[in-house]
Structure formats: structure tokens, C-alpha cells
Amino acid sequence: MYSNFKNHLTKELQDIKDAGLYKTERIITTPQKADIAVESSEGEVLNFCANNYLGLSDNSRLIEAAKKAMDARGYGMSSVRFICGTQDLHKELERAISDYFKTEDTILYAACFDANGGLFEPLFTDQDAIISDSLNHASIIDGVRLCKAKRFRYANADMADLERCLQEAKDCRFKIIATDGVFSMDGNVAPMDKICELAEKYDALVMVDESHSAGVVGPTGHGVAEQFNCYGKIDIFTGTLGKSFGGAMGGFTTGPKEIIDMLRQRSRPYLFSNSVAPSIVGASIEMFKMLKESNELHDRLMENVAYFRDKMIAAGFDIKPTQSAICAVMLYDAKLSQDFAAEMQKEGIYVTGFYYPVVPKGQARIRVQLSAGHNRAQLDRAIAAFIKVGQKLGVIK
């Protein structure tokens, strides 16, 4: 039987390659940081496509905390939480996350994909409605699919369209608006103040995925609730420990204690997945201590974003408006985005071109992700490479 299936897969894979959509993985031979070594390159390249927003992926203090946690609590849990997979460290980290987001309780998952995938089905039925932004992350989309609630989708950050959906869902028992905090391809921030106003008007709950916004947006980087002064109005936050918060693994949902308690009882990714490893938990606890001590990393990140964005716009590049650490350099043509990324790697700058179906047709781009780990010289080197390649390929004059 497999011979027939193999032929089918071979043809499907070749079709993906012929369409220019085949994904290849570049092999990094160093820790994740601003300057990395890649197998296919000579020497080091500067990394501008990681989610390492606060530059913590190779932080020595976190590495030491991970080692100490492993020495004290072991390598792995070998179990799910409710059987015998909960340590005191897990509860300590959940308290730290709740403190950070000013919520009552938190539940840990292996990843934010699991947090979003396990959120909706335990809480809502076919009597309810989920109203989701059109550019929400795939994990939210999949979580909604697993739930029997009625589904509504509104155009990205379009409040008139959101209100239309809320009106259509007016007869549903419970309603929840689901949105990313920062949309990962464009870098724009969801207008949470307006979303919360509509939620109050139509008696709806609000859920936000803070994966690309926590640690980044807001005066001290505490995310969209801080940015828009929406504490107490956003009911549920989900997020990851794998981006700003150290860059390892793990996700979470945080919010009212009754919601978190129900997820502990019925959320399938929580009930049927191993607990987060002690080393990751220990490092994450230390990371939240670091963020309480100083706002230096967030300040440096914002300085880097402003510097890079302003220099690129001055050079003539088309940059989507951003309030986050994501700068979308618009090229519009899929092949051009791939050629541009390849030329940038020759210049020692590691970036990725995105095109349909990851972004809409005709909206191809290079997505640049800034980090507190980048220094000014590295930013200047990247900007110079963008200008050189942009002129070579006719993107700028």
C-alpha cells in the first residue's frame, strides 16, 4: 500500500516545490542570538528573523537558572499534571505569570498552540459564539474549529466589521471576541480599547493571544492591556514562553480563576500532555524576576525598533506601520521576496521572505524582527545590506 501512497506524496511534494512554496530549514550551529553561525554560510550572519525580542535566548542568568532547576527537580516529569506531573516550580511560575498580567490564575501548557487549541472547546457549546479576527494565528483558528460554537470572522482590526458580527451573534448565550495582540506578519497591534468597548456594549468576553505582544508593547512591555489600559476588561490572555520570555518552550492561559479551573478539568492538551520540563520552568521563573528588576531590555528593544524603522523609511523602503518589534518590508512579489532574502544572506544578514499562502497574494515581504540583543553596529550593517540589495534588485533608487 505504501508504494501508492509514496507516489502520491512525492507528487504533492514536487508540486509544492514547483510552486516555490517548499520550506527549507537553515541549520544553526550556535546558540540563538543576534549573531549566529549557519551551516550554509561562511562565518557568522546577523539574525533578524527570530522571535527573540528581549534577547534572552542565550542569557547566562537564565541558563544558570535552568541548570539549577534541573539539578534540584530533575530532567523531565514523565507525566501529565493531574496524575503526578505537578511540581512546586510549576505553581510558582503560574503565580509569576498571573502577577505579570494582573490576573487571578494561570494554567501552563507545552506551547501556546496547545493553550489556544485547548481553550474554546471546554468553555463554549453550540449555544455560544466565537468572533475571531481574520488574521489570527493558526492556533486560534484550530482551537475554534475544535469547538461547536457558532463562528464569526471579522476583517483585521476592523471595528465596524466586528460590530456587525456581534450584532449577528446577539441571540447566542455567550459570546467571546478572540484576537492576536500583535499580528505576526504585519506587526500591527489590535485596538484593544475599541474591542473592549464593543465587548461591553454587546456583553461579550474578550480573549487575546499575547505571544508577539507581551514583553514588547506597552510603556514597560507588559502587553496590550498595559498599552490600552484594559486591565479588568480583557478576560483571557494566552501566550508563550518561547518568544520574548526566554525563547524556549511552554505556553499558558491566564485569567479568572473559574475559567482556569475549568480548563484544568477539561482542556485536552493540558490533560493529555506531559508537564513543562523543570529546566524551562526554573529559567522562566528567573526571567520574570529579571523583568521585575529592570525595564532596560524593553527600552533597548524600543530604541532599536525606532532606529531601524526610521532609517529604512528614510532609505525609501515601504514599511508597514508597526507598534511592535516586527517590521514588514513590503516587496509585493513572491519571487522578489525570495531573491531578496537570498541576496541578504550573501551580505551576512539572515532574513526570510514571506509570500502566499503565509500572507495574502500580492503582499510578499521580508519580515524583520528586532531584538534587544542587537547593537547599533549590527543594525547599521543590516540597514546597509538592505540598501545595497534594494538598489541591486530595483526596490529602491
Side-chain angles (χ1 to χ4, degrees):
M1 176 60 201
Y2 182 64
S3 61
N4 291 333
F5 190 52
K6 177 182 177 180
N7 291 336
H8 164 72
L9 293 178
T10 300
K11 182 181 182 303
E12 288 285 305
L13 288 167
Q14 189 60 51
D15 288 345
I16 294 172
K17 291 177 180 178
D18 292 344
L21 303 177
Y22 191 82
K23 300 174 184 65
T24 57
E25 298 178 358
R26 290 174 279 192
I27 310 301
I28 300 172
T29 58
T30 58
Q32 179 69 279
K33 52 181 181 173
D35 54 317
I36 57 173
V38 181
E39 274 189 359
S40 59
S41 300
E42 294 182 6
E44 292 188 334
V45 296
L46 297 182
N47 189 0
F48 283 88
C49 55
N51 302 315
N52 186 22
Y53 298 128
L54 295 180
L56 293 173
S57 294
D58 68 330
N59 182 272
S60 59
R61 181 170 164 182
L62 299 191
I63 293 169
E64 184 61 29
K67 291 177 181 177
K68 287 181 178 178
M70 194 180 296
D71 287 341
R73 296 293 185 273
Y75 171 65
M77 295 307 303
S78 303
S79 185
V80 301
R81 287 282 295 269
F82 80 97
I83 298 177
C84 61
T86 302
Q87 289 181 332
D88 53 347
L89 292 183
H90 292 98
K91 303 307 293 183
E92 184 178 350
L93 176 55
E94 288 171 342
R95 288 191 294 270
I97 294 171
S98 298
D99 178 66
Y100 186 88
F101 288 96
K102 300 185 180 182
T103 53
E104 292 181 341
D105 200 3
T106 296
I107 178 173
L108 292 174
Y109 289 87
C112 189
F113 207 107
D114 288 336
N116 287 334
L119 174 64
F120 301 102
E121 189 270 339
L123 301 175
F124 303 103
T125 72
D126 56 5
Q127 300 178 60
D128 307 315
I130 303 170
I131 304 161
S132 181
D133 190 288
S134 62
L135 292 189
N136 276 344
H137 190 266
S139 57
I140 296 178
I141 294 170
D142 284 0
V144 172
R145 286 173 176 165
L146 292 170
C147 181
K148 293 180 180 179
K150 296 178 177 63
R151 306 168 192 171
F152 300 85
R153 191 174 76 157
Y154 64 96
N156 177 234
D158 186 327
M159 295 300 96
D161 203 31
L162 172 57
E163 185 161 23
R164 174 190 62 79
C165 292
L166 286 164
Q167 290 169 347
E168 289 184 16
K170 61 181 174 61
D171 293 329
C172 294
R173 182 185 58 169
F174 301 120
K175 300 176 285 294
I176 184 167
I177 302 166
T179 182
D180 281 0
V182 164
F183 298 94
S184 60
M185 286 299 141
D186 287 8
N188 60 311
V189 180
M192 296 310 304
D193 51 347
K194 297 181 177 64
I195 289 173
C196 290
E197 286 175 10
L198 286 173
E200 185 173 354
K201 179 178 178 180
Y202 289 94
D203 194 25
L205 298 163
V206 176
M207 167 267 175
V208 60
D209 181 335
E210 290 266 39
S211 292
H212 288 276
S213 48
V216 178
V217 306
T220 64
H222 277 60
V224 293
E226 182 187 50
Q227 174 85 352
F228 295 99
N229 192 25
C230 289
Y231 288 114
K233 298 178 182 178
I234 298 172
D235 301 284
I236 302 169
F237 300 88
T238 63
T240 180
L241 301 171
K243 293 183 171 58
S244 292
F245 294 157
M249 296 288 292
F252 56 85
T253 300
T254 187
K257 60 183 179 60
E258 296 84 4
I259 287 176
I260 302 306
D261 196 21
M262 184 58 73
L263 294 177
R264 290 193 197 281
Q265 303 306 309
R266 293 183 178 174
S267 183
R268 292 167 70 85
Y270 179 82
L271 293 172
F272 298 103
S273 295
N274 261 21
S275 307
V276 181
S279 57
I280 294 174
V281 176
S284 299
I285 292 168
E286 190 68 20
M287 179 275 306
F288 281 108
K289 291 178 182 177
M290 288 176 61
L291 295 187
K292 264 194 167 183
E293 291 168 5
S294 170
N295 202 42
E296 178 185 354
L297 292 176
H298 176 257
D299 291 344
R300 190 187 311 157
L301 172 63
M302 291 297 98
E303 289 172 7
N304 286 348
V305 170
Y307 182 81
F308 180 84
R309 180 192 61 221
D310 293 347
K311 291 286 187 181
M312 289 288 285
I313 292 172
F317 286 99
D318 182 0
I319 308 290
K320 276 190 172 285
T322 182
Q323 295 173 279
S324 68
I326 298 168
C327 290
V329 182
M330 300 305 297
L331 300 173
Y332 301 103
D333 179 83
K335 185 177 184 304
L336 176 60
S337 72
Q338 301 310 291
D339 293 343
F340 204 111
E343 291 292 325
M344 289 291 287
Q345 185 148 339
K346 293 177 185 177
E347 299 296 325
I349 308 299
Y350 185 15
V351 292
T352 300
F354 292 89
Y355 50 92
Y356 181 83
V358 179
V359 295
K361 286 184 178 180
Q363 293 290 308
R365 69 199 63 184
I366 299 288
R367 183 181 68 172
V368 179
Q369 291 168 279
L370 284 306
S371 169
H374 292 126
N375 59 41
R376 185 60 56 87
Q378 291 169 334
L379 296 178
D380 285 337
R381 185 175 154 195
I383 294 163
F386 264 104
I387 292 172
K388 180 179 179 180
V389 175
Q391 290 173 342
K392 178 180 179 179
L393 299 181
V395 175
I396 60 172
K397 294 180 180 180

